[in-house]
Amino acid sequence: MKMSRTRKRARFTSLCLLAALLAPLIFAASLAHAQSGKLDGQFRDWLENDLWPQASAKGVSRQTFDSAFAGVKLNLDLPDLVRPGEKPKVADKQHQAEFSSPANYFSEKTIAAIVSGGKARAGEHGRALKAAEKKFGVPASIILAIWGRESGFGKNQGKYPAFEVLGTKAFMSTRKDLFNKEVLAALVIVEKGLATPEMMKVSWAGAMGQPQFLPSSYLDHAIDFDGDGRADIWNSAPDTIASIANYLKNFGWQAGRGWGAEAVVPENVSCALEGPDQGKPLGDWTSAGLARADGKAFAKGEAGKEQFLMAPAGRNGPMFLATANFYVIKNYNISDLYALFIGHAADRINGGKAGFAAPWGKVSGLSRGNIAAMQERLVAMGYDVGKADGLPGFKTRRSIGDWQAKNGLAATCFPDAGLKKVLK
């Protein structure tokens, strides 16, 4: 049966409409493909003309370089990337993620898994742990807590090829200088025969192995502790244990000292005294009324030694007296909450109680943008908040406390919805 002229016209109209709708999509796909091809070409040019001369100057052979990057393509799904010639995008403050209570960092499920896993491995690898503690002065419980937190005792070492992540980030991340250093370190590792490119699976941030070292940290701190002639942080528990301990020792771990303890802090002691630059001898703190929250006496060896007030939630949560070792742990991850997590998990591996004596306060109605706006306002008034990044580090917390006290308010040293109205 022949199609009527009306039906032919309708079909033709529909096809034209469909073509009109698809044209932008086809154009966009073609443009994206062309841009991707251009970007890949730029990446290859950068490898040859920029990275290769640097690698060669560090003693990396052409064979090692080519094998490391054979088949490697840019991973555009990684965070913090900036295309060549473009500027980093500035996050819209009104749409930044909601800020949550520090309590969320201390998931009991996560801590309990690390504590139980740590206790099991304390028996399984007791010999290596005791030897590392003796050699480096770092308690086995701290080593175990970091090992568990970083990789689940080796279960989660990273899934991305190292040279894909490090190459992409050295070429086009917001921190190209950092990752340029790391990709060169990774090439040196391969050149020395310490690992193969296939072995080197990393996280999206470029950390690898059971201790989750960046390549430069591997070169600086990894230790052969099982006697096979190679520091194998991927497969060897003794090497992993010793490498973590050596890392902490190299950053100044003080043998014979713990990390700190939760403290009861009288109201007349300002929370704005927090920070690694405001330490006082333990006697000064105890004379001001500070005491351990568990009712125990401070360790005898701490008498006269410097301690630091640490208040990750200001007056809205537990407060602590920390030793210099607390800040050594922070070299592993620049976060007060991370270092506190490690210290707390280590205490529990040693038989300490779960949880903290003081409850964590709630945080509601605040986004990171709100906090960044507060930080910018404080900076305008002459306060040092660190970075106006929406994350209330100790400099921001104590700045808030100082401002509150000067304005006749109770110092909480923590952002809240009330401050959002006046610090804007």
Side-chain angles (χ1 to χ4, degrees):
M1 181 182 294
K2 293 183 178 180
M3 187 181 298
S4 69
R5 183 175 298 176
T6 300
R7 291 180 64 189
K8 287 181 178 179
R9 186 180 296 112
R11 183 178 181 185
F12 178 76
T13 301
S14 297
L15 290 173
C16 289
L17 180 60
L18 179 62
L21 292 171
L22 289 177
L25 299 176
I26 294 171
F27 176 77
S30 299
L31 180 61
H33 181 73
Q35 290 176 336
S36 177
K38 180 181 179 181
L39 196 58
D40 287 339
Q42 291 175 319
F43 177 55
R44 287 291 155 185
D45 288 344
W46 172 80
L47 286 175
E48 185 63 30
N49 300 320
D50 193 330
L51 191 63
W52 161 241
Q54 295 180 67
S56 179
K58 289 187 173 294
V60 176
S61 69
R62 187 75 215 199
Q63 180 180 356
T64 294
F65 188 86
D66 289 343
S67 66
F69 287 102
V72 169
K73 294 183 179 180
L74 291 170
N75 184 342
L76 301 181
D77 293 327
L78 296 171
D80 305 323
L81 301 184
V82 182
R83 290 175 179 268
E86 295 183 0
K87 294 182 179 180
K89 293 181 180 179
V90 179
D92 182 350
K93 289 182 181 179
Q94 301 306 316
H95 295 90
Q96 287 182 345
E98 183 179 355
F99 178 71
S100 59
S101 169
N104 295 338
Y105 196 88
F106 298 92
S107 162
E108 179 57 27
K109 182 179 180 180
T110 301
I111 296 178
I114 291 173
V115 171
S116 62
K119 288 180 177 179
R121 284 158 183 82
E124 183 179 355
H125 303 293
R127 185 175 179 180
L129 286 161
K130 288 179 182 178
E133 187 167 351
K134 182 178 180 180
K135 181 176 178 64
F136 303 104
V138 181
S141 58
I142 293 289
I143 298 170
L144 289 165
I146 291 176
W147 187 11
R149 177 69 183 181
E150 291 297 323
S151 69
F153 304 103
K155 294 179 182 178
N156 307 306
Q157 297 189 36
K159 62 180 181 179
Y160 301 104
F163 290 99
E164 173 188 295
V165 170
L166 298 173
T168 298
K169 292 207 160 193
F171 173 62
M172 59 182 298
S173 82
T174 56
R175 296 185 295 168
K176 291 192 291 186
D177 290 345
L178 168 65
F179 286 101
N180 193 82
K181 171 187 174 183
E182 296 305 333
V183 74
L184 289 171
L187 287 165
V188 170
I189 290 171
V190 176
E191 179 66 31
K192 290 183 175 181
L194 301 170
T196 65
E198 294 73 26
M199 286 174 59
M200 296 168 67
K201 299 295 184 183
V202 299
S203 69
W204 62 264
M208 63 187 189
Q210 299 191 50
Q212 286 292 278
F213 280 172
L214 288 171
S216 63
S217 292
Y218 173 89
L219 292 173
D220 291 341
H221 309 295
I223 291 287
D224 170 29
F225 214 53
D226 60 12
D228 68 353
R230 183 169 66 94
D232 183 358
I233 62 171
W234 297 272
N235 305 296
S236 170
D239 290 3
T240 296
I241 288 166
S243 296
I244 293 171
N246 189 48
Y247 182 101
L248 295 175
K249 180 185 178 183
N250 289 344
F251 276 102
W253 185 274
Q254 297 178 9
R257 301 187 74 187
W259 67 271
E262 185 180 356
V264 177
V265 182
E267 290 294 333
N268 64 337
V269 176
S270 174
C271 50
L273 292 173
E274 180 183 8
D277 54 349
Q278 298 193 94
K280 300 176 185 294
L282 178 59
D284 288 3
W285 291 114
T286 55
S287 294
L290 276 73
R292 283 182 60 122
D294 59 9
K296 297 179 181 179
F298 288 101
K300 292 182 179 179
E302 290 299 315
K305 292 185 178 178
E306 195 171 36
Q307 308 279 326
F308 308 89
L309 185 65
M310 204 274 289
R315 285 283 180 185
N316 299 319
M319 301 173 73
F320 305 84
L321 275 183
T323 72
N325 285 339
F326 176 87
Y327 294 100
V328 172
I329 296 172
K330 280 188 66 174
N331 284 288
Y332 221 102
N333 184 322
I334 305 299
S335 163
D336 289 333
L337 295 180
Y338 175 87
L340 179 56
F341 184 104
I342 296 302
H344 180 62
D347 287 348
R348 288 176 59 175
I349 290 171
N350 280 336
K353 293 182 179 179
F356 302 100
W360 295 97
K362 293 182 179 180
V363 176
S364 61
L366 292 178
S367 69
R368 284 186 59 183
N370 297 145
I371 298 171
M374 293 182 200
Q375 290 169 322
E376 290 173 355
R377 177 65 179 140
L378 287 164
V379 169
M381 292 188 288
Y383 288 95
D384 177 9
V385 301
K387 293 182 179 179
D389 55 5
L391 298 174
F394 76 88
K395 289 185 177 181
T396 294
R397 297 193 295 264
R398 70 188 187 188
S399 294
I400 288 174
D402 278 338
W403 180 87
Q404 289 170 320
K406 288 177 182 177
N407 286 273
L409 302 173
T412 65
C413 299
F414 206 67
D416 59 40
L419 286 173
K420 182 173 68 172
K421 298 177 182 179
V422 293
L423 282 176
K424 64 179 180 179

